[in-house]
């Protein structure tokens, strides 16, 4: 992408006791091809050396922002990431993940070209059932781009949670 037109991307990373992995995750973002990003790390009350690692990295890279809160769980930490984000786009990278160098470039190019509001990409995960060193690629079936909340709720969420949004609403309204 052309440097002057690259939109700022905020990357949210909720962290809790991830000292063994977080530096590798951040390094994979720093080594990426896309350079106009901010990493919003919210430490959720870690009791290990996670805060020190985050602060050390942030002291060397102004794009890395560190916020600390009392332990409130991953949802509260994700919400805090959103509150501190300044980018046009928001991406998520968990502290035990790594990303490919073209991760942000691909997503932003796709979203800008398609004028999409939401993008879901295939990902790789360790196949722990067979061998911790093997990786498998998880491909999503069709519809990677969504242009409305309605599309996300009715076309994406049922795939990842296994039930429709209408079923969830029915259940919570007492329909069992």
């Amino acid at each position: 992408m052309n440097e002057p037109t690259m939109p700022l991307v905020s990357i949210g990373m909720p962290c809790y006791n991830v000292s063994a992995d977080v530096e590798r995750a951040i390094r994979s973002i720093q080594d990426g091809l896309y350079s106009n990003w901010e990493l919003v790390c919210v430490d959720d009350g870690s009791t290990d050396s996670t805060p020190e690692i985050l602060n050390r990295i942030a002291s060397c890279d102004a794009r890395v922002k560190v916020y600390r809160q009392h332990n409130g769980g991953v949802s509260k930490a994700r919400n805090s990431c959103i509150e501190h984000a300044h980018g046009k786009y928001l991406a998520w990278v968990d502290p035990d993940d790594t990303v490919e160098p073209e991760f942000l470039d691909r997503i932003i190019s796709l979203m800008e070209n398609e004028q999409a509001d939401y993008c879901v990409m295939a990902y790789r995960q360790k196949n722990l059932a067979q061998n911790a060193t093997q990786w498998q690629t998880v491909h999503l079936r069709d519809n990677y781009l969504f242009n409305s909340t309605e599309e996300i709720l009715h076309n994406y969420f049922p795939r990842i949670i296994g039930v429709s949004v209408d079923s969830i609403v029915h259940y919570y309204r007492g329909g069992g």
Side-chain angles (χ1 to χ4, degrees), residues 117-151:
D117 293 327
Y118 191 79
C119 179
V120 180
M121 304 294 284
Y123 61 94
R124 292 186 320 150
Q125 66 183 17
K126 283 186 180 180
N127 187 345
L128 298 177
Q130 294 188 6
N131 181 337
T133 61
Q134 284 187 343
W135 290 84
Q136 63 187 17
T137 300
V138 178
H139 294 284
L140 303 171
R141 295 178 203 95
D142 57 333
N143 289 340
Y144 290 84
L145 297 169
F146 302 96
N147 292 306
S148 71
T149 302
E150 189 75 15
E151 276 188 81

Side-chain angles (χ1 to χ4, degrees), residues 26-88:
I26 294 172
R27 183 76 53 222
S28 75
I29 295 165
Q30 291 172 320
D31 290 343
L33 302 174
Y34 197 90
S35 60
N36 194 22
W37 53 263
E38 66 172 354
L39 177 60
V40 180
C41 299
V42 174
D43 179 68
D44 191 38
S46 293
T47 57
D48 66 358
S49 61
T50 298
E52 291 79 17
I53 294 169
L54 294 174
N55 289 332
R56 177 176 44 79
I57 294 170
S59 72
C60 299
D61 189 337
R63 299 173 297 178
V64 179
K65 316 286 193 242
V66 179
Y67 302 91
R68 190 158 165 82
Q69 66 184 30
H70 293 290
N71 184 257
V74 69
S75 295
K76 186 174 179 182
R78 284 189 186 276
N79 287 337
S80 185
C81 287
I82 293 169
E83 290 171 15
H84 293 290
H86 296 100
K88 177 179 179 181

